[in-house]
Amino acid sequence: QQLSSAAHAARPRQQRVGAMATPRIKGLLILDSNDGSRVHAKYFAKELRDAQVQLAFERNLFTKTRGQSARSDAEIVMLENTVCVFRSGIDVTFYVVGALEENELVLVSVLDAMYEALNGILRSHLEKRTLLDNLDLVLLTADELVDGGLILESDPMAIANRVLMKGATGTEVPMNELTISQAWQSAREQLAKSFRN
C-alpha cells in the first residue's frame, strides 16, 4: 500500500519534469510599436485562447515594453506568469511568450529565428505596412517555426526557404511535394518566364 502511494505521489513530478524537458511556446506576437495594436498573434496556451484575455495580455505587454529599444538584441520581461522576449523592427515589435520555467535562451532562439527569417524574406523591410501586405508569408513563417507550441525549426534560412517553397536547403521543391495551389503558382511562374525569354 505504501509503495503504491509513493509511486502515485512521484508520478505528477515525473510528468512535470517530462513536460519541462520539451520547450514549449505560449505565443508568437507582432505588435505595432506606436499604439500596441496587433499585427499578428498566434497563441498556443490554453489560458490565452480567449480573445478578451489575449487583448488584455497584449495591452499589458505593450505597456511594459513600450519605449524600450531592442533593435539589435532581444530583451526579456516577465509578465503575468510568463517570460516574454522581444525585439524591435522599424515600427513593430516581435514577441515570443513562454512559461515562467522556460529557458530564456530557447525563447530568444525562437525570436531570432522568426525575426531573421522574416527579415530575409521581406528584404529587411520589417515594418507594419510590409508585414500586413505580406501577411501570408508571416503566417507561413510562424507555421514553419512553431506548431502547437512545439518548436519545429530554429534555422532562419531553412524557415525562409520553406516559406518561399525552395525546400530546406534552398533548392526547388520537387513537384510531387507541392500542394495544388503551390504547383499552380509554380506553373504560372514558369509560363511567365518562358514568355519573357
Side-chain angles (χ1 to χ4, degrees), residues 82 108 166:
T82 64
V108 169
K166 293 182 179 178

Side-chain angles (χ1 to χ4, degrees), residues 29-33 36-39 58 61-62 91-93 95:
L29 298 98
I30 304 173
L31 302 179
D32 186 302
S33 296
S37 62
R38 181 188 292 183
V39 176
E58 290 168 14
L61 184 60
F62 174 71
D91 61 351
V92 293
T93 305
Y95 298 90

